[in-house]
Amino acid sequence: MSLERILADAAGGVFPPADGSVTVVPQPAPRDAGVIAFTAHSVVFADADPAAVRGLLPPGDLSAPLNPPFLTALCALLDRTVNNVDLLTAAPALPGPPPATLDLALRETADRARPRIARALRHRDAVRAWTVPGGTVLIGRGVAGRWEAAVEVDPGARGTGLGRRLALAARHLVPGGATVWAQIAPGNAASVRAFTAAGFVPMGAEALLLTRED
């Protein structure tokens, strides 16, 4: 089974069996390697011998695939570095453009110098970004071609509900009625609250393994 199929099934509410096992699948693209932990089932997507990957895991430890010892060993095997362990969320697309009730004067921008956009371009394809006074929302194709959203709120605009409205706008901006995913640092409680208030639901946890150039 491919990572694309696993993610599509999860988006439809069909998760890997909660049996404590680890599934190892090939990388969906040279850029993308990492680990996703669902409930009592982890998926490692890496171009490596599955037996070698499983040999790095202590038996019977459900948390091991996202713990530092395994991630460090997997990075050594793949010659990569580990990124943050993120909360992985998803939400279905919403029809039509962002409604007037969101009170967002979105303006699409091609300014690739903005830090959030520049970072997205390193990890996603087909990136599009929109700005409003005080914030930015962007979408792009990330891991396994899934649509991913990210939001940035300027310090002076925090605490106004702008993050929630931008996250909700992302559900209208994603094309073709696709599921939109978002990776959120668990310690960023404001962002977690904004995305969950916008209808994104927790799917699991994810650690991406970056190339040395990233």
Side-chain angles (χ1 to χ4, degrees):
M1 179 174 286
S2 67
L3 182 62
E4 293 93 331
R5 183 73 262 164
I6 292 170
L7 290 172
D9 287 347
V14 180
F15 290 89
D19 57 6
S21 64
V22 176
T23 297
V24 182
V25 298
Q27 291 172 214
R31 176 190 62 197
D32 301 328
V35 181
I36 300 176
F38 297 103
T39 299
H41 193 118
S42 292
V43 177
V44 177
F45 47 106
D47 288 340
D49 179 5
V53 172
R54 291 192 178 93
L56 301 175
L57 288 162
D61 186 349
L62 295 180
S63 66
L66 281 182
N67 277 350
F70 172 72
L71 292 176
T72 300
L74 184 60
C75 283
L77 182 66
L78 301 175
D79 191 27
R80 290 182 173 241
T81 59
V82 66
N83 200 7
N84 195 46
V85 177
D86 289 322
L87 172 66
L88 183 63
T89 68
L94 292 173
T101 53
L102 290 182
D103 191 26
L104 293 172
L106 291 169
R107 297 183 61 183
E108 190 162 6
T109 178
D111 181 4
R112 295 330 195 204
R114 290 173 177 263
R116 173 65 67 173
I117 299 173
R119 183 178 184 278
L121 288 168
R122 294 198 300 271
H123 303 289
R124 300 182 178 105
D125 303 313
V127 173
R128 296 180 67 188
W130 294 260
T131 62
V132 298
T136 302
V137 57
L138 62 86
I139 60 171
R141 287 194 175 274
V143 174
R146 69 190 181 197
W147 283 104
E148 298 175 351
V151 164
E152 185 172 57
V153 177
D154 297 343
R158 292 171 187 168
T160 65
L162 180 58
R164 174 190 59 80
R165 289 183 286 132
L166 289 172
L168 188 54
R171 298 179 60 189
H172 290 274
L173 295 169
V174 66
T179 297
V180 58
W181 299 75
Q183 303 119 305
I184 309 167
N188 188 347
S191 187
V192 172
R193 290 195 297 267
F195 274 89
T196 54
F200 285 76
V201 298
M203 306 294 282
E206 179 178 83
L208 297 182
L209 309 183
L210 308 181
T211 63
R212 300 293 178 180
E213 291 73 25
D214 289 331

